[in-house]
């Protein structure tokens, strides 16, 4: 009999977004005349910029010509895109060899797949609340997770404590709290990882929302991180690639660990081996579109949608401030993480906001136990809907 990985049975149902959808549907069925505004989704609303679309059109025509057709590409990604990304990192004074950059179909795949490289007896440390993929991809393998409390007391930026961890997940700017680590704080994590021989898995999916030049956009801005960190990044929110799918992972050549017989293991080589075995690369057309994001013109063009979302976040932040509601994020992040007014529980506030303002957000409790009593709003809506939702919010709590 085929024996199943029963760790899957220990996973909680992906209850959060299905429950949100069910409650919204029930409300709309009862109140068909009401305009319900979604402010909870983590998906973008603005289209791809023209440089990206034009590059993909050219690439699609190349695929239709005998002389320029391409079949399987390199599993690690085309050199033209890896080069464009290494140049993008050089603006932060980070020198990357193109062989340290692996192109993926999005950060979610690589964040989930990286678990392949690590043995099951590692102690995994994950902040709470957090992007649920870190927790579930480890629970699927039956791994032990130590949670790091992220709360108002530490501005949702937990720092190392006296516990040992082998693998540490950090997400900055954070989903869902919008909090961003400073260089000093990240340096504490890098020091910890170097001391404990641990590896930091750093999720930088929202780096392009950072406007404060003092804040790190990459963990490799911290000296020593190349010896203890892997970085995941995505074009989903940077350039509207949620449906187009492209991301990248940086695995430094300097990152090595000892095998049980004392030999050095190159993590870069291991990841390369994993990818060449289980992954066949990202479509050429998509990679051409992704490379256009990093061109001079592409960088100018993607600034526009980013500024638009930042403008939404500013409007939302101003409203919350006027209403005297505590929140984190919103400045260097598309997420605003607010304390539910009147000490309401997350789901109670969800129902209250849906029924009284017809606005939908995401209950914080769905991101971990420390999310109870909090609520996530996103800046990815249209400007009109953002303004209308905030007007309604103001009427209730202003
Ligand atoms: N990492 C974080 C923190 C996210 O919030 C998301 C998407 O919501 C992802 C990764 C996934 O990004 P991608 O669309 O590149 O798979």
């Amino acid at each position: 009999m085929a024996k199943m990985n029963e760790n899957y049975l220990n996973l909680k149902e992906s209850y959060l977004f299905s429950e949100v959808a069910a409650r919204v549907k029930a409300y709309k069925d009862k109140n068909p005349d009401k305009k319900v505004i979604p402010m909870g989704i983590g998906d973008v609303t603005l289209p791809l910029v023209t440089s990206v679309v034009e590059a993909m059109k050219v690439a699609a025509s190349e695929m239709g010509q005998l002389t320029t057709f391409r079949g399987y590409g390199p599993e690690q990604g085309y050199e033209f895109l890896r080069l464009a990304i290494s140049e993008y990192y050089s603006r932060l004074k980070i020198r990357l060899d193109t062989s340290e950059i692996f192109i993926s179909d999005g950060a979610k795949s690589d964040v989930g797949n990286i678990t392949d490289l690590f043995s099951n007896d590692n102690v995994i440390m994950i902040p709470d609340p957090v992007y649920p993929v870190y927790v579930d991809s480890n629970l699927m393998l039956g791994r032990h997770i130590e949670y790091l409390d992220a709360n108002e007391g530490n501005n949702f930026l937990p720092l190392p404590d006296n516990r040992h961890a082998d693998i540490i997940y950090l997400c900055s700017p954070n989903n869902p709290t919008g909090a961003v680590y400073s260089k000093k704080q990240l340096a504490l994590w890098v020091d910890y990882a170097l001391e404990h021989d641990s590896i930091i898995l750093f999720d930088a999916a929202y780096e392009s929302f950072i406007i404060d030049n003092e804040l790190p956009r990459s963990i490799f801005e911290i000296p020593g991180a190349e010896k203890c960190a892997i970085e995941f990044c995505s074009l989903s929110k940077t350039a509207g690639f949620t449906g187009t799918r492209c991301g990248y992972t940086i695995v430094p050549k300097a990152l090595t660990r000892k095998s049980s017989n004392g030999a050095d293991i190159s993590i870069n080589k291991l990841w390369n081996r994993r990818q060449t075995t289980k992954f066949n690369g990202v479509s050429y057309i998509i990679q051409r579109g992704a490379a256009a994001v990093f061109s001079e013109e592409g960088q100018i063009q993607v600034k526009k949608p980013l500024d638009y979302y930042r403008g939404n976040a500013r409007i939302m932040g101003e409203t919350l401030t006027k209403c005297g509601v505590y929140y984190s994020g919103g400045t260097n992040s598309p997420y605003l993480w607010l304390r539910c007014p009147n000490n309401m529980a997350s789901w109670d506030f969800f129902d209250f906001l849906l029924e009284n303002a017809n606005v939908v957000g995401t209950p914080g409790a769905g991101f971990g136990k420390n999310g109870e009593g909090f609520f996530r709003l996103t800046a990815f809506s249209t400007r009109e809907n953002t303004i209308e939702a905030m007007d309604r919010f103001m009427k209730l709590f202003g």
Side-chain angles (χ1 to χ4, degrees):
M1 191 179 77
K3 294 191 183 67
M4 308 313 292
N5 177 355
E6 296 199 7
N7 292 312
Y8 276 70
L9 308 181
N10 299 328
L11 297 171
K12 281 201 211 111
E13 272 310 306
S14 179
Y15 161 83
L16 180 62
F17 290 100
S18 54
E19 182 61 21
V20 166
R23 291 191 191 201
V24 172
K25 184 177 179 307
Y27 181 80
K28 281 183 174 169
D29 287 349
K30 259 204 236 156
N31 303 278
D33 54 319
K34 298 276 200 229
K35 180 187 169 191
V36 174
I37 302 181
M39 300 287 288
I41 47 158
D43 199 354
V44 293
T45 43
L46 295 175
L48 297 171
V49 298
T50 48
S51 317
V52 168
V53 175
E54 289 311 315
M56 291 199 295
K57 279 189 194 163
V58 172
S61 330
E62 283 177 44
M63 294 301 255
Q65 306 287 328
L66 186 61
T67 50
T68 47
F69 168 77
R70 294 172 189 241
Y72 289 121
E75 292 94 338
Q76 306 84 350
Y78 283 101
E79 192 64 14
F80 64 80
L81 179 53
R82 300 170 99 189
L83 204 54
I85 293 169
S86 80
E87 279 163 16
Y88 180 66
Y89 270 77
S90 67
R91 87 205 186 287
L92 301 173
K93 304 199 168 43
I94 297 167
R95 303 270 162 262
L96 292 178
D97 190 86
T98 53
S99 62
E100 297 176 297
I101 302 166
F102 294 82
I103 310 302
S104 71
D105 62 351
K108 189 180 192 175
S109 314
D110 281 6
V111 165
N113 292 331
I114 200 79
T115 53
D116 275 13
L117 303 196
F118 307 115
S119 145
N120 275 353
D121 53 8
N122 282 298
V123 175
I124 316 289
M125 191 170 261
I126 304 182
D128 172 332
V130 86
Y131 179 54
V133 174
Y134 314 149
V135 172
D136 284 354
S137 57
N138 281 287
L139 291 181
M140 282 169 178
L141 299 164
R143 289 183 184 168
H144 174 69
I145 300 175
E146 289 281 325
Y147 291 95
L148 270 171
D149 285 328
N151 49 39
E152 273 176 83
N154 55 26
N155 296 316
F156 295 98
L157 295 167
L159 293 172
D161 52 29
N162 52 16
R163 288 175 292 170
H164 170 80
D166 301 301
I167 310 289
I168 302 145
Y169 285 80
L170 297 178
C171 177
S172 177
N174 190 272
N175 177 11
T177 69
V180 188
Y181 279 110
S182 68
K183 284 184 186 157
K184 225 171 158 181
Q185 290 169 322
L186 267 194
L188 292 174
W189 276 115
V190 167
D191 290 347
Y192 173 95
L194 292 171
E195 195 183 312
H196 288 247
D197 231 5
S198 13
I199 293 182
I200 297 172
L201 303 177
F202 189 76
D203 189 338
Y206 298 97
E207 62 84 18
S208 55
F209 282 87
I210 294 177
I211 45 167
D212 180 344
N213 284 331
E214 293 303 310
L215 294 173
R217 288 163 166 75
S218 163
I219 195 162
F220 300 120
E221 290 182 64
I222 312 301
E226 69 285 357
K227 295 199 180 78
C228 65
I230 294 174
E231 179 159 297
F232 304 90
C233 208
S234 166
L235 295 186
S236 283
K237 312 295 158 69
T238 302
F241 271 57
T242 50
T244 310
R245 311 302 308 141
C246 196
Y248 49 91
T249 295
I250 314 290
V251 190
K253 289 241 170 99
L255 180 61
T256 61
R257 286 297 178 267
K258 294 278 181 214
S259 72
S260 45
N261 66 13
D264 281 331
I265 302 177
S266 156
I267 313 291
N268 179 287
K269 268 196 186 161
L270 231 57
W271 182 244
N272 191 53
R273 189 70 176 84
R274 190 264 169 216
Q275 290 299 80
T276 50
T277 302
K278 295 194 183 180
F279 184 59
N280 246 343
V282 175
S283 142
Y284 171 69
I285 299 169
I286 301 299
Q287 291 194 62
R288 278 292 179 199
V293 171
F294 299 103
S295 67
E296 219 179 307
E297 188 53 30
Q299 284 293 293
I300 293 167
Q301 289 180 4
V302 295
K303 202 177 163 295
K304 221 171 152 189
L306 284 170
D307 281 342
Y308 179 93
Y309 298 134
R310 287 187 189 116
N312 286 348
R314 199 165 38 246
I315 291 164
M316 294 158 74
E318 282 165 6
T319 307
L320 295 177
T321 303
K322 275 188 209 149
C323 296
V325 173
Y326 165 91
Y327 72 97
S328 76
T331 317
N332 294 288
S333 153
Y335 295 118
L336 288 94
W337 179 249
L338 56 111
R339 194 188 317 118
C340 300
N342 307 324
N343 291 323
M344 268 187 256
S346 304
W347 280 106
D348 292 343
F349 183 63
F350 174 89
D351 290 333
F352 183 84
L353 203 61
L354 176 60
E355 280 159 28
N356 296 286
N358 307 146
V359 170
V360 179
T362 313
F367 296 99
K369 78 169 169 51
N370 289 314
E372 182 53 277
F374 285 85
F375 202 72
R376 191 189 77 172
L377 292 176
T378 81
F380 292 122
S381 222
T382 62
R383 179 60 51 85
E384 299 68 35
N385 278 349
T386 303
I387 292 172
E388 196 175 338
M390 289 302 108
D391 282 348
R392 295 180 191 174
F393 198 95
M394 193 71 195
K395 282 198 186 101
L396 280 180
F397 302 108

